[in-house]
Each structure stands twice: as C-alpha cells, then as structure tokens.
Amino acid sequence: DRARLARALSRLSARHVALRSGLQRQRRDLVQVEYPGFVPPVQSIVCPADAADTTEARLAREIQREIMSDRPSLRAVVFGDGAGSETVCLSLHHAFSDGWSGTRMFEDLAAAYSADAASAEQPASSYHDFARDEAAYLASVQGQRDRAYWQQALAKAKFTSVPLDPGKPARSGPTERLRTRFDPRSSAQLEALAGVFGADLFALTLALFFATLHRLTGTFQPGCASLFSGRVDNRYADCVGFFVSTAYLAVPVESDLTLRDLIARVAQTSRAASGHQRYPLHLLPSPMTQTAGRRADDCVFQMLPYAFDAKPFGPFVAKPFLPPVQPRRFDFELTVAPGEDGLSVLSTWNADRLERGWVEAALDYYRTVASAFLADPGRKLSALPLP
C-alpha cells in the first residue's frame, strides 16, 4: 500500500529530527537546519519481469543518484514487477544517519506502517540534544583529556600499513571491491576461539588483519582506523542520526608473538580507544592525522553490527544490495559482517592508489592466517605459512 508507506515515512520523519534536516554553511561551519513538516517523496516505478531494464539495474542507478545535503534527503522509490512483488529503496544522505541508525529506522518504519496511526511520538532525547551535548563536551575538561589521549596515541603513527600510493590523491580514484566468506563451521570456530581467549569477534578478526599486514608488508606497528558507534550515552539509543566516531588503532607486533598475545594487545587498544571515542578523529588537527601524503583513515577495518543477510522488520524484509559501482568512503576498507552463511569479508579500495593484486593476496592470506590459528592457536606469527 503505497499511500500507507507515504504516511509511515512522514511519521518516521516527524519522529526523528535528523530525517527532516539539511546542512547549511554559516561562515566556516556547517549547521544542521530543521525543516518542520517535511514530507519524504515516494516515487513508483514498474519494472515488468520480462523487461530488459531489470529492477536490479534500476535499483543500482537509484543508489548512485546524487543526494543533496542542503535539504532533507530522505526519499523512497518503489519498484514493482507488475505481478505483486515490490522493492522499496530508501535513500538518505550519510551525514544524517549511520549503520547503527539503520536498524532503528527500519524498526520505526515497520511500526508506523503496521499501526498506520497519526501518532509520531518523539524519542526522549533528540539529535538536537546530542549536538548540544557534543558542543559542551568538546569544551569540557573531559573533552580535552580525550584530545590529549589521541595526541599521544597518534604521535608516532605513520599510517603506512597498507601500500597505498602516496603520490595519488586520496578519495578520488575508481572503486574496486572483492568479497570472500568463511563457511559457517569456520566462522563458529573463530567465534569460539575468541571466547577461549576472553575476547570478542571484533578483536579476533582485527588481530588476524594485523597479523596479515605484519607478514605481507613487514610492518611491526600495523594500524588502521575503525568505526565506533559513538553512542556513549544511552539516552540516544532510540535516535536516528550520525553518531559514528572514527578512531585509530595500532599495536606493536613482534615475530615471536602468539595469537593470544596479539589479541590481548588488540583488545586492550580497542578498549582504550572506545573509552575515548567521543572525540572525533576529524576534529583533530591535520598534523596529528596526516603525514607524508598518508592519512589516519586511509585504511579502515570495521565489523558491522548487522549481517549482510536478509532481515525481517514487520511487513518488510531488509535485504543487502551491492551495486556494480559502489561508493567508497576510504581508500582501503575491510568490512567483516556476520551472517547465516558465515562471516563475510568485503574489501573496497581506491584503484588509483592500490593494486588489485595486493588486495587479492591480502584476502587470501587473511584466510590462511585464520586457518593456521584455528589449527594451532598457540603458534607464533613467525611460524605462519609464508605469504
């Protein structure tokens, strides 16, 4: 029912201020401006099953359409096949939402659609409240302490763990991607191994990545940026908005280190970074986050809080869709996501700054490192098979 969907989207926008906001420049700052009464547009497109221009092709084009940030950007396109099957594509500028918000947004949309009621109850705290709290935090003693922590943590960082070409501009080249997967049995074994070491799956998979970088490049200080939820205050658990904070993680690695030791270092570093995640990396001065043509967020590792698999939300089923041409936020990104078919590992990178052959070798060796440690969790990095 497309009219019902339009009403549900309007209630969703009325519930979350970030979904009815745009960005405007005021002097040197970008300011989020609310547009009360904003009604998200809903477009309907029929794609007959036997048409040459398929739903997947149209969906890929819709995902690549420009999204403006100077006005509310939430929009919906409904693709129907003329036989009762429909796909709804929701688009929203990333400045107003993040991956953690996606789940909340789908849950609220499903509830609004199912109830089809006029109520648009507001969360106890809004994204406006968060913005005010963050401004006060940055000027506070705690904000300065967190800034000092990052200043010390980044003091000797080189940002060279991945062999990106420093002579090519960041963020500007074409995107390529590769994907691999651990089968369900291996995935369960990795999760169990993390538990044996008293760590979580994030620490284990990041430790495997650092071991891969150490063996492939010879670095003894592998590092990367990672994305934290930024929701350090439970008052904002029900809010939609961009809360994510980027942090830089690096650990010293020696060849005689065991996986247990490496995981312990990664877990300790991750906990420390989490405790200071509220101070965003992008607000630190560039001399702290850039050196010799390299940036702290050139290389990013993240574990998604949700699976790549289909997930039901009331009357809807959210499904992953990777378009042929995918937007890229960083010059090298490795994303691990759980799923019914096992852990999925997706790599995207800037083809102007990094060779495909290196990425292929890195993904293959990442799997090799995981298999080696599953076979013998006590082995040292120096005893790993050669790349």
Side-chain angles (χ1 to χ4, degrees):
D1 187 330
R2 299 179 190 185
R4 188 171 181 174
L5 173 64
R7 292 193 295 271
L9 283 169
S10 293
R11 289 192 289 276
L12 181 69
S13 174
R15 175 172 168 77
H16 297 288
V17 65
L19 302 183
R20 57 179 188 274
S21 297
L23 295 176
Q24 292 183 5
R25 183 167 295 281
Q26 295 183 6
R27 297 180 181 177
R28 297 179 60 185
D29 298 323
L30 280 175
V31 178
Q32 186 169 310
V33 178
E34 180 184 359
Y35 289 77
F38 166 69
V39 177
V42 179
Q43 180 184 3
S44 297
I45 297 177
V46 177
C47 309
D50 58 350
D53 198 8
T54 64
T55 296
E56 287 75 16
R58 288 175 178 258
L59 185 57
R61 291 201 300 272
E62 169 60 22
I63 289 175
Q64 294 167 50
R65 269 179 59 196
E66 184 177 14
I67 301 178
M68 306 301 293
S69 63
D70 60 348
R71 62 188 72 108
S73 58
L74 179 63
R75 67 173 184 246
V77 178
V78 181
F79 298 95
D81 63 1
S85 176
E86 293 185 321
T87 299
V88 180
C89 177
L90 298 181
S91 298
L92 177 67
H93 197 286
H94 201 5
F96 305 107
S97 183
D98 55 29
W100 281 268
S101 293
T103 298
R104 169 52 55 194
M105 194 162 63
F106 281 129
E107 289 174 345
D108 286 355
L109 177 62
Y113 183 89
S114 298
D116 198 22
S119 173
E121 180 183 354
Q122 300 291 309
S125 297
S126 73
Y127 194 77
H128 281 175
D129 297 324
F130 170 76
R132 284 190 289 267
D133 286 350
E134 287 303 283
Y137 155 77
L138 292 173
S140 70
V141 172
Q142 185 59 50
Q144 295 310 303
R145 286 175 180 166
D146 289 344
R147 186 182 188 279
Y149 168 85
W150 289 115
Q151 184 173 7
Q152 181 178 1
L154 295 169
K156 297 182 180 179
K158 302 295 184 183
F159 314 132
T160 56
S161 294
V162 172
L164 295 165
D165 186 345
K168 298 292 179 64
R171 311 293 198 274
S172 62
T175 299
E176 291 194 34
R177 72 175 183 230
L178 283 172
R179 186 177 180 180
T180 189
R181 185 185 293 275
F182 292 96
D183 61 47
R185 182 172 180 270
S186 297
S187 299
Q189 289 175 332
L190 288 171
E191 188 167 6
L193 183 60
V196 169
F197 290 159
D200 57 18
L201 196 55
F202 172 82
L204 173 65
T205 53
L206 179 55
L208 295 177
F209 182 50
F210 281 168
T212 298
L213 293 176
H214 167 68
R215 296 288 284 173
L216 279 181
T217 69
T219 179
F220 288 93
Q221 187 78 18
C224 65
S226 192
L227 306 180
F228 288 76
S229 71
R231 288 162 167 77
V232 297
D233 190 328
N234 289 333
R235 289 183 300 158
Y236 304 113
D238 293 332
C239 288
V240 168
F242 190 88
F243 295 84
V244 165
S245 183
T246 306
Y248 188 77
L249 308 175
V251 298
V253 173
E254 303 87 37
S255 295
D256 62 350
L257 209 63
T258 66
L259 179 63
R260 180 188 293 272
D261 296 332
L262 180 55
I263 289 177
R265 292 184 183 183
V266 169
Q268 181 180 10
T269 300
S270 178
R271 284 192 297 268
S274 179
H276 300 278
Q277 65 173 288
R278 195 172 177 183
Y279 203 101
L281 190 71
H282 68 270
L283 291 185
L284 296 170
S286 57
M288 291 170 58
T289 61
Q290 300 181 34
T291 177
R294 305 297 295 271
R295 297 164 43 132
D297 59 354
D298 275 347
C299 170
V300 171
F301 177 95
Q302 67 167 325
M303 172 165 276
L304 295 183
Y306 48 84
F308 278 140
D309 301 318
K311 182 177 180 180
F313 290 93
F316 305 106
V317 177
K319 296 182 179 180
F321 177 76
L322 294 177
V325 179
Q326 182 175 351
R328 186 193 67 252
R329 298 171 295 172
F330 310 102
D331 280 347
F332 178 81
E333 184 174 3
L334 194 70
T335 301
V336 179
E340 293 179 358
D341 295 330
L343 290 174
S344 180
V345 183
L346 175 67
S347 177
T348 57
W349 71 95
N350 182 344
D352 278 354
R353 299 192 71 193
L354 189 62
E355 295 182 359
R356 183 182 184 89
W358 187 90
V359 180
E360 291 174 342
L363 287 181
D364 286 344
Y365 195 63
Y366 186 80
R367 293 179 58 87
T368 298
V369 170
S371 297
F373 281 126
L374 283 176
D376 179 10
R379 79 168 64 203
K380 296 180 179 181
L381 299 188
S382 57
L384 287 170
L386 293 174

